[in-house]
Structure formats: C-alpha cells, structure tokens
C-alpha cells in the first residue's frame, strides 16, 4: 500500500501549532504536528456534509440566502451547502489559516470537487469570530466547524464561539428566520443546555462520519 506523503504544512495563527497536509493516491489527511490521529480525512466527511445539508435545507426557500461557514477544512461543508442552495445564494467561508485556502485551490480541492471555484462562494481569511462579533443580522445560516466541538482542540481561542458570549454574537448575526448549526466530534449535554439558556430552540442530531450507518458518531446542534 502506498504511504502518505506530506505535501503541505501551515502554522495556526496565534498558537504556533502546525497543520500537516498529507496525500496517499486520491486520499488526503490533515494532522496536527506532534499529535497522533487525524484532524480530517477526505474519506470521512459524512458529518461535514450533514452540517450543511441539515441547515441549508431549512433556508433554501428564502430569497437570496446568505450563509456563513466557520472553517473551510477540506471543503466538504462548502460543497454540500452549495448543492443545497439556489443559484442566487452567497456563501462566505471564514478560514483562519491562509494555507488551507491555498490547499483547497490546489490538489486538495479535487476531494470535494473544487467548491471554491463556484461563483457563489468567497473566502474571508481570518477568524470567524470577527464576523460574528460584527453581528449584522444578515446571515440566514451560520455553520460552525472550527474545532473538535465545544471543547477546543486546535486553539483555545475557539472556546469563545461556544461560550454564552459567542452564542449571543451568533444570535445577533442571524436574520429573523436564520438557523445556527454547530459540529462536534461527540455529544455534550452542557452545550445543549447553554443554547437553551440563550433562548434558542435546540435539536441535537447524531450523524455518522462516513455515511448513514457507518463511521464514528458525531453531533450537530441545530438552533433557532
């Protein structure tokens, strides 16, 4: 069997932790340097697809829907959002690590079908928290997959997104009929209750990493 080869490396701003992009034939993997296990794998994206599909199917009937995605990753959430949205939609992806955008415009982009080439998509290079704090109330859906879930893994600053202040900022950023969606590697009852205490209706949905019935169980919170 072919071995993974490193084809890219990037430093996460503000922490110094490095991301490694590896490729084996048509399979890609992103790892945190110095840690075992994978952060992402191009064969395991069922829950990233579901993050977009579950949220976007609820707003697809709105005129000119605007969607904000926190975290580009391997592009699967963006690709699924574009598939679920009409031609007049606009999707902004906030990506903290500039090299991740470069990777998605290069060889890695083939994994998700080069969704950044879609005219409806644009990239904000920076922390999604910047856009949430702006709170313009114009996002019809906000999809957040910036870390491992409410317990940050790659960057402690990400914890703000899941805090009461972060949730309040996300609420302020939503349109009246908007929806929030949060991805997590696993369940966390405390976060469900935190969303409810913010006055949101909450639906935690268990999804599979590979495809329905296969792969690890991940969780998506839908809140409105």
């Amino acid at each position: 069997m072919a071995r993974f080869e490193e084809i890219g490396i990037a430093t996460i701003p503000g922490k110094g932790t490095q991301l490694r992009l590896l490729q084996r034939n048509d399979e890609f993997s992103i790892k945190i340097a110095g840690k075992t296990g994978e952060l992402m794998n191009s064969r395991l994206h069922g829950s990233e697809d579901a993050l977009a599909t579950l949220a976007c199917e609820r707003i697809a009937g709105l005129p000119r829907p605007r969607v904000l995605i926190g975290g580009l990753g391997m592009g699967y959430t963006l690709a699924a959002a574009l598939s679920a949205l009409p031609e007049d939609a606009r999707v902004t992806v906030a990506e903290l690590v500039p090299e991740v955008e470069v990777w998605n415009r290069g060889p890695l982009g083939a994994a998700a079908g080069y969704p950044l080439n879609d005219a409806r998509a644009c990239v904000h290079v920076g922390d999604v928290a910047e856009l949430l704090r702006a709170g313009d109330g114009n996002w019809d859906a906000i999809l957040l997959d910036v870390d491992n879930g409410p317990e940050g893994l790659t960057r402690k600053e990400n914890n703000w997104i899941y805090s009461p202040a972060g949730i309040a900022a996300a609420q302020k950023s939503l349109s009246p009929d908007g929806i929030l969606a949060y991805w997590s590697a696993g369940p966390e009852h405390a976060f469900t209750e935190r969303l409810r205490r913010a006055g949101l209706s909450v639906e935690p949905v268990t999804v599979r990493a590979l495809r329905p019935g296969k792969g690890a169980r991940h969780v998506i919170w839908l809140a409105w």
Side-chain angles (χ1 to χ4, degrees):
M1 178 180 291
R3 300 169 63 92
F4 274 112
E5 295 185 4
E6 183 177 280
I7 62 171
I9 193 162
T11 300
I12 300 174
K15 185 175 180 181
T17 301
Q18 290 187 318
L19 296 178
R20 301 173 63 222
L21 174 64
L22 302 105
Q23 181 176 7
R24 179 175 62 190
N25 298 326
D26 62 350
E27 179 183 3
F28 295 89
S29 174
I30 294 179
K31 296 185 176 184
I32 299 176
K35 292 185 179 291
T36 58
E38 295 177 305
L39 193 61
M40 303 171 214
N41 185 286
S42 60
R43 294 186 177 180
L44 302 171
H45 57 88
S47 60
E48 285 82 357
D49 297 344
L51 173 66
T53 303
L54 289 170
C56 290
E57 66 185 7
R58 298 193 179 203
I59 65 161
L62 297 178
R64 297 180 296 280
R66 289 185 62 199
V67 176
L68 172 62
I69 299 175
L72 175 58
M74 292 184 169
Y76 288 109
T77 298
L78 173 59
L82 293 168
S83 293
L85 292 168
E87 290 301 314
D88 60 355
R90 293 293 180 267
V91 183
T92 298
V93 185
E95 175 51 55
L96 183 67
V97 183
E99 290 86 350
V100 172
E101 179 187 2
V102 175
W103 295 346
N104 274 271
R105 295 191 185 278
L108 176 58
Y114 290 102
L116 288 180
N117 291 343
D118 193 304
R120 295 172 293 169
C122 67
V123 178
H124 168 84
V125 178
D127 195 335
V128 68
E130 300 168 359
L131 301 182
L132 295 179
R133 288 188 174 101
D136 65 6
N138 288 332
W139 301 111
D140 296 304
I142 299 175
L143 320 179
L144 297 170
D145 180 9
V146 298
D147 212 310
N148 218 40
E151 293 297 327
L153 174 66
T154 62
R155 186 171 175 262
K156 66 179 182 180
E157 290 87 347
N158 290 337
N159 292 337
W160 176 84
I161 289 171
Y162 307 94
S163 71
I167 294 168
Q171 287 177 276
K172 189 178 177 183
S173 298
L174 278 180
S175 67
D177 295 317
I179 186 165
L180 296 172
Y182 297 83
W183 182 96
S184 177
E188 186 167 329
H189 180 71
F191 186 63
T192 303
E193 293 306 308
R194 197 176 305 155
L195 291 168
R196 287 177 175 150
R197 285 196 299 271
L200 291 162
S201 298
V202 185
E203 181 184 353
V205 181
T206 299
V207 295
R208 302 299 284 267
L210 184 58
R211 58 182 181 273
K214 299 290 184 180
R217 288 176 170 83
H218 297 161
V219 174
I220 292 166
W221 286 275
L222 299 174
W224 62 95

